[in-house]
Amino acid sequence: EGEGGEEMRDCWLPRNGKELVGRLFTTCYMKTSNSSSDTEQRAAQLAQEIGSNHICVDMDEVVSASVAVFSQAMGGRVPKFKVYGGSQTENLALQNVQARSRMVMSYLFAQLLPWTQGGRGSYLVLGSANVDESLRGYLTKYDCSSADLNPIGGISKTDLRSFCRYMSPRYPELKNILGAKPTAELEPITDSHVQNDEDDMGMTYEELSTFGRLRKIHLCGPLGMFHRLVHMWRDKCTPQQVAEKVKRFFHCYSINRHKMTVLTPSYHAENYSPDDNRFDLRPFLYENSWAWQFASIDKELAVLEEGGRGVVPSAP
């Protein structure tokens, strides 16, 4: 186009928001054999509503090639998913290789898409892990959560759902997304098994959001969190259930805290982010047994179950 074409591109102005999105934003659905057609269709429909350039990529060949390299190096041993008789170790490794392959492909597309469109430079890769997933460690290190920037990395799942409900009149597909059960879709879907995020985590996103606020904003450790939640959740949980939930959270929090040291930079819209390097400067190595704290919870729990009063401090 020469100099005239360059000038026209420099002076281009969008007529509406969708036109701007189409100029700047490419979305990519990276499916595998474990992905559902419903999720694929929801992604395509939302992309159409916002106006992004949308592509769908089948990742099975990439994943199979990685597993084949491992199998060849290990004398033909082939890992299996748990639903097919594999161990938990095999099952987790097969999920992680899918997630990490998506990160590699994301950067490949980000670098080459402008070239295919006759442009210059490369795109930024945007991540999509939220605060709750990071706090719980419910993400694979160096997976598709690893990116140049994560616009929602400082926002909890509950707040994101509220935002999606607010925007759903403009983007109707968000209603269908909100109605779908959260799932990573990294395990095979069978007649008897469909992967579910909250089942995998052992806690709901609503509970996780509460844990996060108490840990980050109120600086609660295991015992302090138990004190508060015994009162906050007295209408829905027994003290024993509260103790089990608190212990599970802190175990998962401590063994996954190292993931925060490489977390993608986020926009911090709230003060509950666990982002280690830039926002939450507490240690990333913990003794994950929390021996004194868990023992203290057990002592107070025993008194409560025996009908004791005034043992657990009231929540401030």
Side-chain angles (χ1 to χ4, degrees), residues 223 226-228 230-231 300-301 304 309-315:
L223 185 58
F226 174 74
H227 287 164
R228 286 175 178 259
V230 161
H231 295 278
E300 298 197 2
L301 179 62
L304 285 173
R309 294 293 184 267
V311 178
V312 178
S314 59

Side-chain angles (χ1 to χ4, degrees), residues 2 8 29 42 57 71 92 113 116 141 145 153 163 167 180 191 199 221 243 245 249-250 271 277:
M8 288 180 63
Y29 183 74
R42 285 192 289 266
V57 178
S71 180
L92 187 57
L113 276 174
T116 66
K141 202 171 187 179
S145 66
F163 176 73
M167 295 301 297
D191 292 338
D199 290 342
K245 290 176 182 292
F249 166 73
F250 271 96
N271 56 358
N277 286 338

